[in-house]
């Protein structure tokens, strides 16, 4: 019995020491990041985190913020899961005393974090990748932003693309989650507006070994092309292969989740000349090129994964807002975001933190030419965005043109 | 092997080298699984979790066929696989994974010993 | 960084522990006392969460309802619907051998998840339900979490009391006897299936209520929240750590396991930023090691099965 008590006391003490050890730190300005480093989106989280680290490096090299204090990033792993994400966010807010957070990636984590931590805790949350339309209408007291456009934008462009490629009848297969469904609905609406007919719209469960029955159903009314909304690692590649192998389709249109070189491996000749869409940077400004250059200097070759640039931008924008607000209080940061950013402001590039500080000190507004293009939020905190069209040429992915919304 | 499945202590007493049997059992199932993995990778593409994704339908197949019956397992696998693929003719494709479980639960209710298994 | 900050995180932490403790108490009734192998907790959790959300939310065109009912009605409805589900699931499967019951429950949890994902008229499908009302929101201002913790504690106290009471009664004695040897109980003329069913339904009721509390606390639920790892297996770990068939152990198990689960974050958080990616993986390993250490040093869990004796046995001795 005595032994048991000692054992339990030890465990409790261990836990307490863990909690308390997070408390000692020097005077810095902190921004939290909520990135999935384990779980379903781990392969993205690693690189989006690099995006935020790059922003931190640039800011600290140019003298930090709020009068020379260093910017510190505190990351917690969301495990791509809402329970863990909400807990982590609360930790950032309460224990680390942070009122500005970059994250989370998936809408399924971002929304509960916003509703149960960020809004009640008066904390600004900027998601670099949650594209769910729900975020637009969230009652967030203005605390929630995102540096990506909503799914509905890409759906419109993809629907137009399908019509422009002279397809009269279109079949859609989409991954069964909020991303897939949102995109699917938007595509159908736009394609039918253009006079086309969607013969089939089929949701698929990720990670199954065979999608032949879905493909058979999709092909049953002889559509001209298949619009595939999927990720590479949840079944997208399997669907492409099985579609080609059994001859269900020979014309494809892809979305951003499949904008990755793996999709053509071994089947280059069959996918030659196919088109796809993906959110991309607004034209004008050289943010994207500069970002690629800086990223590769720091971390090596930039992987063809999305949301690295938007993560950088989210961090940079938060730093701008903190500098403008002159404080790290949530409400002040929230108000400062819209005060500091303006479409017709003075241009600041992603490596010009010093210039930004001077402009803020002079009371000027800033047009931030971000890594993903100029970052301007509309009145519900969504980023204005652009959707790019890409094409497969000689087995490589080539960007074709950009549609601005 | 069958003796061990029934009663491991009794098997040991009658002089069966139980550890060796266990090792061989694992080795055989390892070889079979690896072969299945290679074939699956030919058909789809290679991911670290491809086996995990198949785990539940496999349970269903074994129960359907009857635990302890190799032919039953093969037959169960075929039935589950084909019925999953054919199910999209009747129900939404999104419910495809549910087909395996439904068959499994029905089987557990009607005949827990499986199609070809012996009565327990 | 301030004391107030740590306190407010502690409150938040305890709410999560409390919700998990409810799940663990429920599983303890099913597994610890009745020997039922339920690995479909996620299903009951989801049903409870969705039921309460639909019952209490203001009317919405996105999903069934909402009916704008008070919070307490939502909780009760969540428990009742989860119980009905348990009854439906239990009728065919409760007589099965325990490993078959396990496979059947996991299959049913998966079917429930698919239904929630695909029946948009019911649950708004993959987009989830947002803006689930928090009871008496606005009255408590910044101390709201403290109030919610109080609700959770009250619910735990009620369930703990009922569970202790039940298990010390003749009913509980029969349950434990069934777990040890079904045949003997049958021979004694008890209706084994009925007893097991009652335990299954009671546990499901508690899981439903726990799910409802989760929904109200996070205000947003989507099918993503009910994956087996966090919703089923974590509860099992808590039960095993705390010690099966011990209500108090269940609560402590939930506290310790969730503490390790989130506490390791602080430990790996001290590593230099360059190692964050590795740190996340190390954390998972650390969690595994902590749990292994506890299990190796105390295979029966921190608290083994409590010696229960009801008055009638005490007298007969």
């Amino acid at each position: 019995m005595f032994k048991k008590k000692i054992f339990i006391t030890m465990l409790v003490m261990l836990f307490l020491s863990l909690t308390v050890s997070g408390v000692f730190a020097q005077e810095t300005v902190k921004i939290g990041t909520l990135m999935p480093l384990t779980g379903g989106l781990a392969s993205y989280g690693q690189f989006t985190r690099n995006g935020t680290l790059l922003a931190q490096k640039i800011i600290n090299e140019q003298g930090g913020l709020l009068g020379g204090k260093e910017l510190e990033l505190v990351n917690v792993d969301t495990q791509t899961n809402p329970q863990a994400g909400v807990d982590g966010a609360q930790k950032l807010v309460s224990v680390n005393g942070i009122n500005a957070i970059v994250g989370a990636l998936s809408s399924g984590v971002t929304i509960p974090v916003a509703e149960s931590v960020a809004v009640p805790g008066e904390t600004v949350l900027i998601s670099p990748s949650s594209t769910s339309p729900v975020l637009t209408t969230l009652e967030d007291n203005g605390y929630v932003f995102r540096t990506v456009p909503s799914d509905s934008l890409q759906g419109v462009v993809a629907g137009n693309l399908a019509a422009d490629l002279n397809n009269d009848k279109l079949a859609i297969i989409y991954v069964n989650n909020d991303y897939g469904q949102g995109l699917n609905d938007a595509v159908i609406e736009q394609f039918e507006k253009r006079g086309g007919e969607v013969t089939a719209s089929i949701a698929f469960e990720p990670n199954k070994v065979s999608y032949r029955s879905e493909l058979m159903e999709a092909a049953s009314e002889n559509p001209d092309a298949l619009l595939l909304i999927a990720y590479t690692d949840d079944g997208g590649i399997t669907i492409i292969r099985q579609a080609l192998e059994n001859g269900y389709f020979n014309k494809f249109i892809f979305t951003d989740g499949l904008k990755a070189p793996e999709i053509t491996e071994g089947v280059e000749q069959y996918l030659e000349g196919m088109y796809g869409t993906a959110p991309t940077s607004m034209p004008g400004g050289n943010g994207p090129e500069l970002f690629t250059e800086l990223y590769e200097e720091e971390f090596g070759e930039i992987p063809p994964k999305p949301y690295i640039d938007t993560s950088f931008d989210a961090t940079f924008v938060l730093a701008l807002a903190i500098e403008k607000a002159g404080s790290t209080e949530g409400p002040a940061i929230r108000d400062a975001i819209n005060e500091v950013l303006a479409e017709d402001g003075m241009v600041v590039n992603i490596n010009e933190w010093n210039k930004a500080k001077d402009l803020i000190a002079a009371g000027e507004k800033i047009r931030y030419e971000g890594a993903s293009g100029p970052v301007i939020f509309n009145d519900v905190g969504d980023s204005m965005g652009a959707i790019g069209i890409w094409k497969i040429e000689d087995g490589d992915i080539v960007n074709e043109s950009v549609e601005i919304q | 092997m069958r003796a061990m499945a029934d009663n491991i202590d009794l098997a040991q007493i009658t002089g069966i080298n139980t550890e060796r049997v266990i090792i061989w059992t694992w080795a055989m199932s390892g070889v079979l699984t690896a072969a299945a993995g290679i074939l699956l990778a030919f058909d789809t593409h290679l991911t670290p979790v491809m086996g995990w994704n198949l785990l539940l339908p496999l349970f269903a197949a074994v129960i359907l066929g009857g635990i302890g019956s190799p032919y039953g397992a093969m037959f169960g696998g075929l039935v589950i696989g084909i019925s999953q693929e054919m199910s999209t003719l009747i129900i939404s494709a999104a419910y495809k994974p549910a087909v395996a479980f439904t068959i499994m639960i029905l089987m557990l209710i009607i005949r827990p010993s499986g199609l070809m298994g012996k009565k327990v | 960084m301030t004391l107030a900050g740590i306190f407010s995180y502690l409150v938040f932490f305890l709410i999560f522990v409390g919700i998990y403790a409810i799940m663990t108490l429920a599983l303890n009734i099913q597994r610890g006392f009745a020997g039922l192998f339920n690995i479909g907790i996620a299903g009951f959790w989801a049903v409870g969460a969705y039921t309460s959300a639909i019952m209490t939310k203001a009317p919405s065109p996105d999903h069934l309802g909402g009916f704008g009912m008070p919070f307490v009605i939502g909780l009760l409805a969540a428990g009742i619907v989860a119980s009905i589900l348990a009854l439906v699931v239990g009728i065919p499967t409760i007589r099965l051998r325990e490993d078959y019951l396990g496979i059947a429950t996991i299959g049913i949890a998966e079917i429930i998840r698919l239904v929630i994902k695909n029946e948009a008229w019911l649950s708004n499908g993959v987009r989830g339900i947002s803006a689930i009302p928090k009871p008496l929101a606005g009255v408590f201002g910044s101390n709201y979490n403290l109030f919610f913790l109080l609700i959770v504690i009250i619910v735990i106290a009620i369930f703990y009391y009922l569970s202790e009471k039940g298990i010390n009664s003749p009913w509980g004695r029969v349950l434990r006897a069934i777990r040890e040897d079904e045949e003997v109980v049958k021979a004694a003329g008890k209706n084994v299936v009925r007893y097991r069913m009652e335990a299954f339904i009671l546990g499901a009721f508690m899981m439903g209520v726990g799910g409802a509390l989760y929904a109200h606390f996070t205000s947003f639920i989507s099918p993503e929240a009910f994956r087996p790892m966090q919703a089923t297996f974590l509860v099992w770990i808590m039960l095993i750590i705390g010690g099966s068939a011990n209500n108090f152990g269940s609560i402590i198990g939930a506290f310790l396991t969730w503490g390790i689960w989130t506490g390791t974050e602080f430990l790996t958080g001290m590593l230099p930023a360059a190692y964050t990616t590795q740190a996340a993986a190390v954390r998972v390993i650390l969690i595994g090691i902590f749990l292994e250490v506890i299990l190796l040093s105390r295979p029966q869990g921190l608290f083994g099965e409590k010696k229960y004796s009801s008055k009638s046995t005490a007298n007969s001795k």
Side-chain angles (χ1 to χ4, degrees):
Chain A
M1 194 60 208
F2 186 60
K3 240 175 108 182
K4 194 198 282 182
K5 267 187 188 152
I6 292 183
F7 185 69
I8 292 168
T9 327
M10 271 171 60
L11 274 171
V12 171
M13 279 176 62
L14 178 70
F15 172 68
L16 282 179
S17 70
L18 293 181
T19 319
V20 174
S21 61
V23 173
F24 305 104
Q26 64 279 42
E27 187 68 8
T28 52
V29 175
K30 293 199 189 100
I31 291 180
T33 60
L34 277 176
M35 299 290 167
L37 298 171
T38 52
L41 292 182
S43 64
Y44 293 85
Q46 193 184 339
F47 298 106
T48 52
R49 167 143 174 95
N50 281 348
T52 63
L53 288 176
L54 186 60
Q56 179 197 23
K57 181 173 170 264
I58 289 172
I59 290 166
N60 283 341
E61 274 178 359
Q62 303 191 12
L65 67 174
L66 288 186
K69 288 184 198 158
E70 270 205 2
L71 173 66
E72 185 185 344
L73 294 183
V74 184
N75 185 59
V76 291
D77 177 12
T78 66
Q79 303 168 24
T80 329
N81 164 269
Q83 283 98 323
V86 166
D87 181 80
Q90 185 69 38
K91 223 180 272 174
L92 289 175
V93 173
S94 302
V95 181
N96 300 92
I98 286 172
N99 288 315
I101 297 177
V102 177
L105 291 198
S106 58
S107 305
V109 180
T110 307
I111 298 170
V113 165
E115 294 222 25
S116 62
V117 180
V119 179
E122 302 193 323
T123 296
V124 178
L125 188 71
I126 303 189
S127 169
S129 71
S130 298
T131 49
S132 165
V134 174
L135 269 178
T136 309
T137 52
L138 209 63
E139 283 176 34
D140 58 9
N141 296 334
Y143 281 108
V144 182
F145 298 82
R146 56 175 153 188
T147 47
V148 281
S150 162
D151 278 332
S152 39
L153 277 188
Q154 188 184 172
V156 171
V157 174
N160 279 334
L161 175 67
D164 292 341
L165 294 170
N166 294 323
N167 298 306
D168 298 324
K169 292 201 281 182
L170 183 69
I172 304 173
I173 293 184
Y174 63 95
V175 57
N176 198 6
N177 62 20
D178 55 343
Y179 157 80
Q181 189 142 52
L183 216 45
N184 172 60
D185 295 352
V187 170
I188 293 179
E189 199 189 323
Q190 186 62 25
F191 190 68
E192 286 178 347
K193 211 182 275 173
R194 293 282 302 267
E197 183 197 350
V198 176
T199 58
S201 155
I202 297 161
F204 75 89
E205 278 295 309
N207 297 317
K208 296 287 170 243
V209 292
S210 162
Y211 292 105
R212 295 195 173 88
S213 55
E214 281 89 341
L215 284 162
M216 197 166 81
E217 200 184 329
S220 61
E221 284 178 51
N222 294 319
D224 300 318
L226 173 69
L227 193 135
L228 183 56
I229 303 167
Y231 302 105
T232 51
D233 45 9
D234 69 357
I237 291 183
T238 306
I239 293 178
I240 294 171
R241 289 179 182 218
Q242 292 181 347
L244 289 169
E245 187 184 278
N246 299 52
Y248 289 122
F249 289 96
N250 53 25
K251 250 177 106 177
F252 298 88
I253 297 163
F254 303 113
T255 53
D256 57 333
L258 290 168
K259 190 185 177 188
E262 300 98 283
I263 66 165
T264 61
E265 266 168 34
V267 289
E268 290 91 349
Q269 67 270 40
Y270 303 106
L271 291 182
E272 188 64 28
M274 298 298 151
Y275 286 91
T277 57
T280 184
S281 51
M282 301 262 268
N286 58 349
E289 293 78 22
L290 198 58
F291 177 70
T292 308
E293 196 180 302
L294 290 170
Y295 185 97
E296 301 201 333
E297 229 167 72
E298 180 74 14
F299 300 107
E301 196 177 343
I302 192 163
K305 303 230 179 207
Y307 311 131
I308 306 172
D309 47 355
T310 51
S311 302
F312 177 96
D313 287 344
T315 318
F316 203 93
V317 165
L318 279 177
L320 285 175
I322 291 173
E323 184 72 24
K324 171 81 184 171
S327 97
T328 53
E329 295 297 314
I333 300 173
R334 170 192 64 182
D335 299 338
I337 286 183
N338 287 321
E339 281 166 27
V340 73
L341 293 178
E343 204 167 353
D344 51 358
M346 306 288 281
V347 172
V348 166
N349 285 316
I350 61 168
N351 55 354
E352 295 178 329
W353 174 247
N354 263 333
K355 183 177 169 193
K357 274 197 295 188
D358 294 344
L359 287 170
I360 289 172
E364 294 279 354
K365 286 189 180 260
I366 286 174
R367 175 185 167 91
Y368 168 56
E369 293 280 354
S372 61
V375 176
I376 298 136
F377 295 110
N378 61 16
D379 48 2
V380 290
D382 283 1
S383 174
M384 316 276 213
I387 305 293
I389 292 174
W390 48 275
K391 189 182 181 186
I392 297 172
E393 269 178 20
D394 300 327
D396 286 328
I397 287 171
V398 185
N399 289 321
E400 277 269 306
S401 59
V402 175
E403 304 274 327
I404 306 154
Q405 291 295 315
Chain B
M1 217 184 267
R2 291 215 315 270
M4 275 181 57
D6 270 345
N7 189 331
I8 195 157
D9 292 327
L10 206 60
Q12 209 159 9
I13 290 168
T14 51
I16 296 170
N17 186 342
T18 50
E19 261 177 46
R20 213 175 66 197
V21 176
I22 290 173
I23 290 170
W24 275 107
T25 316
W26 277 101
M28 278 162 65
S29 60
V31 168
L32 283 173
T33 320
I38 294 167
L39 291 175
L40 180 60
F42 277 141
D43 192 36
T44 60
H45 75 290
L46 204 61
T47 64
V49 290
M50 55 197 244
W52 172 250
N53 296 328
L54 269 176
L55 201 59
L56 283 173
L58 283 183
F59 266 126
V62 172
I63 289 177
L64 180 65
I67 291 175
S69 154
Y71 292 109
M74 282 156 69
F75 183 70
L78 271 178
V79 171
I80 296 272
I82 292 174
S83 55
Q84 275 206 19
E85 288 301 305
M86 300 308 282
S87 68
T88 49
L89 296 176
I90 312 160
I91 57 168
S92 152
Y95 279 113
K96 204 164 81 166
V99 173
F101 301 126
T102 315
I103 295 178
M104 180 177 81
I105 291 164
L106 284 179
M107 202 60 207
L108 283 173
I109 297 165
I110 303 165
R111 206 186 139 120
S113 55
L115 282 178
M116 300 195 179
K118 281 165 277 165
K119 268 267 178 243
V120 249
Chain C
M1 200 57 71
T2 57
L3 214 57
I6 293 176
F7 179 71
S8 84
Y9 176 68
L10 202 65
V11 169
F12 184 89
F13 170 83
L14 287 176
I15 291 174
F16 258 98
V17 168
I19 291 171
Y20 271 111
I22 293 170
M23 296 296 170
T24 318
L25 275 176
L27 182 64
N28 191 31
I29 291 184
Q30 294 182 341
R31 169 65 196 176
F33 295 130
L36 296 167
F37 199 61
N38 178 3
I39 40 177
I41 300 169
F44 296 101
W45 185 328
V47 166
Y50 271 92
T51 306
S52 191
I54 289 170
M55 289 301 281
T56 56
K57 244 196 94 168
S60 157
D62 293 336
H63 52 81
L64 185 70
F67 298 106
M69 300 278 195
F71 173 69
V72 178
I73 306 276
L75 285 195
L76 284 178
I80 291 168
V81 174
S83 306
I84 294 171
L85 175 74
L87 185 70
V88 175
V89 173
I91 287 172
T93 55
I94 207 95
R95 342 167 168 250
L96 299 174
R97 245 173 51 192
E98 69 168 21
D99 41 353
Y100 286 158
L101 178 69
I103 297 166
T105 50
I106 205 171
I108 282 158
E110 193 67 6
I111 291 174
I112 290 170
R113 198 177 61 86
L114 286 170
V115 169
I116 291 175
K117 258 181 118 167
N118 293 308
E119 299 303 320
W121 59 270
L122 177 71
S123 60
N124 202 21
V126 289
R127 291 201 182 116
I129 297 182
S130 60
I132 301 166
K134 298 191 171 196
L136 294 178
V139 179
F140 292 91
S142 58
N143 289 324
Y144 184 75
N145 281 355
L146 207 56
F147 168 68
F148 201 91
L149 179 61
L150 190 71
I151 300 179
V152 173
I153 289 175
I154 291 172
V155 173
I156 294 179
I158 295 172
F159 284 163
Y160 182 80
Y161 176 77
L162 287 180
S163 184
E164 282 285 303
K165 200 84 180 156
I167 221 63
N168 283 321
S169 71
W171 181 78
R173 215 165 57 240
V174 176
L175 269 190
R176 278 174 289 137
I178 292 173
R179 186 193 64 197
E180 296 305 329
D181 196 330
E182 213 181 302
E183 300 301 319
V184 172
V185 183
K186 250 186 227 162
K190 301 279 182 194
N191 185 345
V192 171
V193 170
R194 207 183 122 197
Y195 275 93
R196 292 172 76 174
M197 188 64 132
E198 282 165 358
F200 193 54
I201 290 177
L202 193 65
F205 182 88
M206 289 162 65
M207 287 175 186
V209 174
L213 286 173
Y214 172 78
H216 288 283
F217 183 58
T218 55
S219 280
F220 174 83
I221 46 174
S222 70
E224 257 185 75
F226 307 106
R227 296 229 189 91
M229 184 62 227
Q230 280 86 354
T232 298
F233 295 120
L234 201 56
V235 179
W236 269 91
I237 295 171
M238 287 165 176
L239 182 71
I240 293 166
I241 292 286
S244 205
N246 186 322
N247 286 324
F248 182 67
S250 300
I251 297 174
I252 298 298
F255 177 78
L256 269 184
T257 311
W258 189 247
I260 290 171
W261 199 265
T262 65
T264 43
E265 185 101 51
F266 290 105
L267 204 63
T268 53
M270 289 189 290
L271 288 169
Y275 295 107
T276 323
T277 316
Q278 288 88 333
V282 169
R283 221 191 91 220
V284 181
I285 298 174
L286 268 183
I287 293 170
I289 293 174
F290 272 119
L291 299 178
E292 285 283 332
V293 166
I294 294 180
L295 287 183
L296 285 178
S297 55
R298 293 197 67 86
Q300 72 279 47
L302 285 178
F303 303 84
E305 174 159 9
K306 192 169 152 189
K307 289 268 180 293
Y308 288 100
S309 61
S310 55
K311 286 206 180 77
S312 48
T313 39
N315 292 339
S316 66
K317 264 175 194 167

